[in-house]
Amino acid sequence: MEKIAILREKFAKEGYAQFLGMELEELAEGYARVRMKVQEHLHNIFSILHGGALFSLLDEAFELACNSHVEDAVAISVTVHYMKPVVSGELVAEAKEVALTPRTGLYSLTAYNEDGIPVAFAQALCYRKRKD
């Protein structure tokens, strides 16, 4: 549980998450849920949420979930499928651990709009670093 407390503290100080207005809702071993309000300055040229902002929300949940174990982890790959455009409201991203080995972790990521409708899906793989 000590690692979870450390991650909560690090999230509270993470400038990028603060800049995007992210809030940590839940964090447990292998799981994270993060919320973000859609703001106009995050819109793209089509006046919808920029894919990079949505990716960042998914990636934040992934970062927290995959680092909830003793070993620190870094992303190897993230594949995102954008399903529905978002203009306003709030989004919630969940990261759920699917498989864990001594060196890698596989995660399923989903972003939901405020009506609970999925707007993006992703699969992410992390590398768990050794403490040498």
Side-chain angles (χ1 to χ4, degrees):
M1 279 300 192
E2 183 179 325
K3 182 69 182 255
I4 300 295
I6 291 168
L7 281 177
R8 285 182 183 282
E9 287 178 18
K10 286 185 175 190
F11 175 84
K13 296 175 184 174
E14 185 181 353
Y16 188 64
Q18 290 174 2
F19 171 74
L20 293 175
M22 294 182 190
E23 298 174 23
L24 178 57
E25 287 196 336
E26 189 174 343
L27 180 59
E29 193 170 278
Y31 176 82
R33 187 172 65 231
V34 179
R35 178 175 300 274
M36 180 178 78
K37 183 175 182 185
V38 177
Q39 302 172 61
E40 196 170 304
H41 75 273
L42 300 177
H43 282 182
N44 64 18
I45 61 172
F46 302 108
S47 298
I48 61 175
L49 182 66
H50 195 288
L54 183 48
F55 176 91
S56 291
L57 178 64
L58 290 162
D59 190 51
E60 190 70 33
F62 168 51
E63 171 188 50
L64 293 165
C66 75
N67 277 289
S68 62
H69 301 285
V70 173
E71 298 85 9
D72 289 340
V74 293
I76 294 175
S77 68
V78 180
T79 302
V80 180
H81 305 280
Y82 299 101
M83 307 304 292
K84 190 170 182 65
V86 178
V87 176
S88 61
E90 289 192 336
L91 296 174
V92 172
E94 284 188 310
K96 297 178 182 177
E97 194 170 84
V98 174
L100 190 65
T101 74
R103 292 290 152 245
T104 62
L106 180 65
Y107 294 80
S108 174
L109 317 173
T110 307
Y112 302 91
N113 66 17
E114 58 194 13
D115 295 323
I117 298 170
V119 297
F121 299 97
Q123 187 176 58
L125 182 65
C126 72
Y127 174 75
R128 299 166 45 138
K129 302 182 333 183
R130 290 187 176 176
K131 300 252 185 200
D132 291 319

